[in-house]
């Protein structure tokens, strides 16, 4: 049976490994994870998209401001077509800038969240009879997540 556990890089993973060795589990493999160093990209490319659109608010405001501009353009000098286009451009730019500021704040907020990130994966091979004991030991040493994979032989 294989048991996978994720931990923060702390003294608790060292304690878990030493307790596992004391309990007779010898096949333990720890893998440190590399954290992302580069910033998340704000603009999408043709090959990658995060599902966030920076144009939706801009297009909505373009329609609203072009309608207002066109209706007010009947009494203004340049006429409804020019004022409708001016309103559309102004609304589109305003909405794009609004979405840009909101997304940047969201990315900063996600970066500064105090949530715990997995930094080390612990892979343990043990007997089926040791499963409960190993799992309890991992949870007691503050594992962030634990998964079990049973070894089974397919006899055909």
């Amino acid at each position: 049976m294989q048991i996978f556990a994720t931990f923060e890089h702390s003294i608790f993973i060292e304690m878990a490994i030493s307790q596992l060795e004391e309990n007779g589990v010898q096949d333990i493999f720890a893998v440190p994870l590399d954290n992302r160093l580069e910033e998340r990209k704000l603009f999408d490319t043709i090959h990658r998209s995060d599902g966030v659109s920076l144009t939706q608010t801009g297009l909505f405001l373009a329609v609203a401001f072009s309608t207002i501009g066109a209706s007010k353009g009947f009494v203004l000098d340049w006429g409804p077509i020019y004022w409708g286009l001016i309103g559309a451009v102004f609304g589109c730019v305003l909405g794009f800038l609004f979405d840009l500021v909101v997304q940047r704040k969201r990315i900063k907020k996600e970066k500064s969240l105090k949530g715990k990130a997995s930094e080390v994966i612990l892979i343990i091979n043990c007997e089926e009879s040791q499963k409960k004991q190993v799992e309890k030991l991992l949870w007691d040493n503050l594992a962030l997540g634990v998964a079990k994979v049973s070894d089974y032989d397919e006899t055909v």
Side-chain angles (χ1 to χ4, degrees), residues 66-117:
S66 68
T67 304
I68 293 169
S71 66
K72 295 294 182 184
F74 282 107
V75 294
L76 297 174
D77 286 339
W78 290 353
I81 294 176
Y82 284 124
W83 283 108
L85 291 173
I86 291 169
V89 169
F90 177 74
C92 191
V93 169
L94 184 69
F96 176 77
L97 292 176
F98 175 78
D99 280 344
L100 191 65
V101 168
V102 167
Q103 289 304 317
R104 283 197 177 168
K105 282 186 177 183
R106 184 183 62 85
I107 289 172
K108 279 186 181 178
K109 184 179 178 184
E110 285 178 0
K111 245 167 92 172
S112 67
L113 285 177
K114 296 184 174 43
K116 300 184 183 207

Side-chain angles (χ1 to χ4, degrees), residues 21-41:
E21 288 174 345
E22 286 174 6
N23 290 338
V25 178
Q26 295 299 319
D27 199 1
I28 302 169
F29 186 62
V31 181
L33 297 174
D34 293 331
N35 291 329
R36 182 182 194 112
L37 298 176
E38 65 186 35
E39 293 288 323
R40 287 182 55 192
K41 294 182 179 159

